[in-house]
Amino acid sequence: MDTKEILRKFEETVSGYIRELDGVGLEQLLWKPAEDEWSLGQMHVHLINSAQYMHLRNVALCLAPSGNPAVSSTGKTKQGEEVFGAGSFPPDRVQVPPSPQYTPPQPEGKEQLVNGLRDMVRRMTEIEPMVAAAFDPVAQAISEPGKDTAFELVRNTVVHPRFGGLNALEWFQLIEMHYRHHLLQRKRLDDAWRAAHV
């Protein structure tokens, strides 16, 4: 899949999140089906924060000239190969025990989430041409090894805790896959809200 198609799918998914937020009140946004589960608002904060502070940061690290110790040429794990081979996460629920490091805070309100989602689209749109240029087949063909050119940049990876070393294009694609995967959580939360408030 090319970067423009990844960006198009991401924009489509984010538009859906924003449309759905329009019909949600603050009570529903902050409601948690159980103490150890996230609210709808926390899920959105997680999506925004993970893209902003992990995924997009790692795209930029992979595209930067070498020298950062986080950048390597490590390959993907078996799970990483499977996820990227499928182009999506499996539909399994991922639940991490609550912790101050991982559990996102409740949002202040819908405006914070809508602005954060729009900012992620803006940042993805800004970085897409750089990812596309690095992975352009013509640029690859004329690049020289060892000169921080496209030839070298596509080999730069930053390790993901479960998927292993991902290059800039894979981190870029991961953002879209991650947002799409959380549509399942969104549905679970909507269904639980309706069941608890009939």
Side-chain angles (χ1 to χ4, degrees):
M1 185 180 314
D2 74 4
T3 56
K4 292 205 181 311
E5 180 62 12
I6 293 167
L7 181 59
R8 186 196 65 74
K9 288 174 71 175
F10 179 71
E11 290 171 333
E12 186 178 295
T13 301
V14 170
S15 291
Y17 277 121
I18 291 171
R19 267 192 317 276
E20 290 170 353
L21 278 171
D22 193 42
V24 172
L26 188 60
E27 181 184 0
Q28 182 180 353
L29 192 66
L30 303 178
W31 179 81
K32 293 165 49 168
E35 191 53 41
D36 64 342
E37 294 189 43
W38 293 352
S39 70
L40 187 58
Q42 286 174 295
M43 181 200 78
H44 284 84
V45 169
H46 164 73
L47 288 171
I48 294 162
N49 287 350
S50 62
Q52 182 174 4
Y53 299 114
M54 181 183 184
H55 304 141
L56 284 168
R57 175 177 107 17
N58 290 339
V59 170
L61 281 174
C62 290
L63 293 175
S66 56
N68 189 305
V71 177
S72 69
S73 59
T74 303
K76 288 191 280 303
T77 61
K78 183 178 185 305
Q79 186 177 25
E81 292 289 350
E82 290 169 357
V83 165
F84 281 90
S88 65
F89 290 93
D92 307 327
R93 185 174 180 183
V94 178
Q95 200 164 10
V96 178
S99 72
Q101 299 87 346
Y102 192 73
T103 304
Q106 290 281 19
E108 296 168 12
K110 284 196 287 189
E111 185 178 351
Q112 172 193 356
L113 301 177
V114 170
N115 290 340
L117 290 167
R118 287 184 176 142
D119 190 48
M120 290 307 96
V121 169
R122 180 189 60 78
R123 292 189 58 199
M124 288 280 284
T125 302
E126 286 174 355
I127 206 162
E128 181 275 331
M130 292 175 262
V131 176
F135 287 82
D136 177 49
V138 174
Q140 292 297 308
I142 61 173
S143 291
E144 295 178 45
K147 302 224 190 256
D148 285 330
T149 59
F151 181 86
E152 296 296 325
L153 296 180
V154 299
R155 286 159 182 74
N156 286 349
T157 65
V158 175
V159 175
H160 182 279
R162 290 176 48 212
F163 303 143
L166 305 179
N167 63 35
L169 179 59
E170 291 161 337
W171 279 108
F172 187 78
Q173 183 179 4
L174 183 65
I175 299 168
E176 186 279 324
M177 292 191 306
H178 186 222
Y179 273 61
R180 193 166 19 101
H181 178 72
H182 275 279
L183 292 171
L184 299 170
Q185 182 180 12
R186 166 74 201 218
K187 182 175 179 347
R188 274 195 312 274
L189 288 167
D190 286 345
D191 292 347
W193 169 262
R194 277 194 291 280
H197 295 84
V198 286

